[in-house]
Amino acid sequence: MNPPPYDPNNPNQNWNQQQNPYQQNPYQQQNPYQQNPYQQGNFQQPPNYQGNYIPPYNPNVHNVQMDLPNAQNAQVCGIIGLVLCWAGIIGLIINICAIVMGANSLREASLYPGRYTEASISKAKAGRTCGIIGLSLFGFALIIFIAVIAANS
């Protein structure tokens, strides 16, 4: 027999007299996990958890803008690649790295508008642009080198 529902106006009735129907399994089945499914268990972190969980970006909750990942690296590689564009394969590799890192950073910024600072977006654009200019200068230097060798033969 179920007790009557709790009545706050009845001083003789204790709120503890009410039984919670969620404490027992209504199906009377054996739980294969040896745990009551109606009881909240303790949450345990997975074994490879490092403690640096970043929740998904929600513009309604997060008001803090972040720096673009690899924007600074793209800018540095672009400047170094621009200086070393005459240095052969080293300049070629650094310029390609600047273009790829800048393009990936800008793609990330276009996926999440408003999440990243304008300064970091400008750094990614500058790195990509310097990488393209350095790669063009490398190609121009390669064409001149081939023309000089062909003229001397």
Side-chain angles (χ1 to χ4, degrees):
M1 179 174 165
N2 290 336
Y6 176 66
D7 182 17
N9 298 324
N10 185 356
N12 296 329
Q13 185 180 16
N14 188 0
W15 65 274
N16 286 332
Q17 291 175 348
Q18 209 176 10
Q19 288 189 2
N20 187 355
Y22 300 109
Q23 288 179 347
Q24 296 177 0
N25 189 345
Y27 303 107
Q28 300 301 322
Q29 296 175 351
Q30 289 288 343
N31 186 357
Y33 302 107
Q34 301 301 322
Q35 174 181 332
N36 187 352
Y38 298 105
Q39 199 175 36
Q40 185 177 9
N42 294 334
F43 176 73
Q44 294 180 354
Q45 298 292 347
N48 59 355
Y49 180 71
Q50 298 294 323
N52 54 0
Y53 171 72
I54 299 174
Y57 179 71
N58 185 349
N60 300 325
V61 175
H62 303 285
N63 294 328
V64 179
Q65 289 185 330
M66 304 169 16
D67 285 339
L68 255 169
N70 289 332
Q72 179 103 21
N73 298 340
Q75 184 181 24
V76 169
C77 284
I79 293 171
I80 292 173
L82 193 59
V83 172
L84 296 178
C85 65
W86 311 106
I89 195 77
I90 295 171
L92 176 70
I93 292 172
I94 293 175
N95 283 317
I96 290 173
C97 288
I99 293 170
V100 169
M101 282 192 285
N104 286 343
S105 294
L106 290 174
R107 185 179 305 118
E108 177 78 17
S110 67
L111 288 176
Y112 303 105
R115 183 177 189 177
Y116 299 107
T117 60
E118 287 297 320
S120 64
I121 293 172
S122 298
K123 287 179 185 179
K125 287 180 182 177
R128 187 186 63 178
T129 304
C130 288
I132 291 171
I133 293 171
L135 195 61
S136 301
L137 289 176
F138 174 79
F140 181 68
L142 186 65
I143 290 172
I144 290 177
F145 180 73
I146 291 174
V148 167
I149 289 190
N152 287 339
S153 313

